[in-house]
Amino acid sequence: MLVGSVLVAAPAEAHGGGSLQPIVTGLNSPRGVATHWSKIIYSTGDGSVWEAWSSGKKIRKLGTVPGGFAPAVDTNVWGTTYAVTGAGGEPGAPPTPGSTTLYRMRPGKAPLKIADIGKYQLKDPDKYDLENNPTESNPFGLAALRDGTVLVADAAGNDLLRVWPNGHIKTVARLKPRTVKVPAGLPGPPDIPPAGTPINSEAVATSVTVGSDGYWYVGELRGFPATPGTSQIWRIKPGSYNAVCDPYKPYSGNCKRWADGYTSIVDLAGGPRGAIAAVQLARDSWLKWEVSGQPTAVGSLIVQWPNKWHYGGPRKEVARGKLQLPGGVAFSRWGHLYVSAPVFGPGAIYKVR
């Protein structure tokens, strides 16, 4: 599931700096970010998807999708852009029109509906659901593949799906829950177990990207109690179906743990030399931010490289302390790194320098 209102010593690289250069400004709740050659594709809180040059000059509006929250977006190597809408409405309520849907964006035309993700999940229940709602759906991340198919990370179904241009869908992998300890200082209802109590927590699949090695990477946000340092990045063999991402058998099968120790991942981007960039919505955990009543929180952007065994090796945080509720990240073909922030309120698309 995806709960709450959100959902909501490294090698020297050009993107390893600490400053942010605003590229596209004056945006309302920007989130999705993708690149294609010298273009930046991004989404905003009213569901609109835009193209701009990397200089920041807007090119055109690709369209607007429903939902009331900025969609995830991605553009494939051929320049085709896709957007996926989330659940919309209140948790447990019937789907709102146009929600949980994958669209292909067409300049000058209405977005073309490709697949109803929520409808598929009704027949593909989450085997590891902990909330007695195994058919819930909240698509939150996507990656457009060069063959015309699209990978969709469902944050309520806790799984990764593959969608064909004709709307056919297959389940690529399912993420199993993990036992974590209740963090100290967690505000909330009095029935929350004491700090240090082991509790089973869902793996919320928020994000997916394709690495430079061709493998598919999935990032997770930890479900309640949102214990910091317990979010993982999984590496999935391309072409897999019904794989299991198991924190207790993390290196077996077609889904293997690539990295651990993250907090509240909401987007991933594959970059040069095997690098994976991960956006963390809130450094201290999404739950602490959400119940604090504060309008914003400091998030983070971390770039990690593989080690010689193809697992997560050295990592580096960039633009430390400068990102408020970041939502999306993308590499350009030249290795430049872009990030959007904040996901709620006035924001921008930034280039990391």
Side-chain angles (χ1 to χ4, degrees):
M1 64 154 235
L2 186 58
V3 293
S5 61
V6 173
L7 310 168
V8 212
E13 296 281 348
H15 52 259
S19 63
L20 296 173
Q21 177 188 355
I23 300 297
V24 187
T25 59
L27 305 180
N28 178 30
S29 303
R31 184 186 158 223
V33 187
T35 64
H36 183 251
W37 290 91
S38 295
K39 297 178 183 178
I40 302 171
I41 300 90
Y42 61 92
S43 65
T44 55
D46 65 351
S48 296
V49 180
W50 297 79
E51 283 184 335
W53 294 116
S54 57
S55 63
K57 183 179 179 180
K58 289 185 180 180
I59 302 173
R60 59 184 174 178
K61 182 178 179 179
L62 296 180
T64 300
V65 296
F69 182 65
V73 298
D74 197 23
T75 302
N76 66 19
V77 295
W78 313 113
T80 302
T81 295
Y82 296 87
V84 66
T85 56
E90 295 298 322
T96 58
S99 64
T100 65
T101 300
L102 176 67
Y103 295 91
R104 186 166 70 234
M105 309 306 292
R106 303 181 296 171
K109 299 181 180 180
L112 178 64
K113 179 180 176 179
I114 301 299
D116 187 331
I117 306 299
K119 184 177 180 181
Y120 173 80
Q121 296 290 41
L122 292 175
K123 299 180 180 179
D124 186 55
D126 178 9
K127 298 178 181 179
Y128 310 111
D129 173 68
L130 299 178
E131 298 190 323
N132 298 317
N133 194 3
T135 59
E136 187 181 16
S137 179
N138 185 15
F140 204 79
L142 79 164
L145 305 182
R146 65 181 302 122
D147 67 354
T149 62
V150 179
L151 299 175
V152 175
D154 194 317
N158 302 334
D159 57 5
L160 179 67
L161 310 176
R162 188 177 185 182
V163 184
W164 274 258
N166 64 0
H168 178 66
I169 304 175
K170 294 183 72 172
T171 300
V172 172
R174 303 180 191 276
L175 281 63
K176 294 187 69 172
R178 184 181 198 181
T179 299
V180 301
K181 293 182 179 180
V182 174
L186 182 65
D191 58 347
I192 292 180
T197 303
I199 186 172
N200 214 16
S201 176
E202 289 190 355
V204 180
T206 56
S207 43
V208 58
T209 192
V210 179
S212 60
D213 59 359
Y215 275 68
W216 303 340
Y217 292 79
V218 174
E220 62 181 32
L221 174 147
R222 180 57 51 203
F224 182 86
T227 305
T230 62
S231 292
Q232 302 159 107
I233 298 175
W234 298 94
R235 182 175 184 258
I236 300 173
K237 183 179 179 180
S240 298
Y241 298 107
N242 293 313
V244 177
C245 306
D246 187 345
Y248 304 105
K249 298 178 181 179
Y251 305 113
S252 64
N254 286 343
C255 179
K256 295 179 172 63
R257 181 194 288 153
W258 188 76
D260 199 357
Y262 283 87
T263 300
S264 303
I265 295 174
V266 290
D267 200 19
L268 295 179
R273 305 181 189 176
I276 299 292
V279 164
Q280 301 186 127
L281 182 75
R283 185 190 302 276
D284 293 335
S285 92
W286 62 265
L287 183 58
K288 286 188 177 181
W289 161 69
E290 187 168 290
V291 301
S292 71
Q294 298 297 316
T296 189
V298 176
S300 57
L301 174 59
I302 296 173
V303 180
Q304 185 160 6
W305 291 264
N307 60 25
K308 64 180 180 180
W309 298 283
H310 303 291
Y311 298 119
R315 65 179 73 175
K316 180 179 182 180
E317 182 175 356
V318 297
R320 182 176 178 86
K322 299 178 181 180
L323 289 167
Q324 299 289 325
L325 294 178
V329 63
F331 278 102
S332 73
R333 63 180 292 125
W334 296 281
H336 299 143
L337 189 58
Y338 297 89
V339 62
S340 63
V343 293
F344 299 112
I349 307 298
Y350 298 93
K351 181 178 181 180
V352 181
R353 299 182 66 85

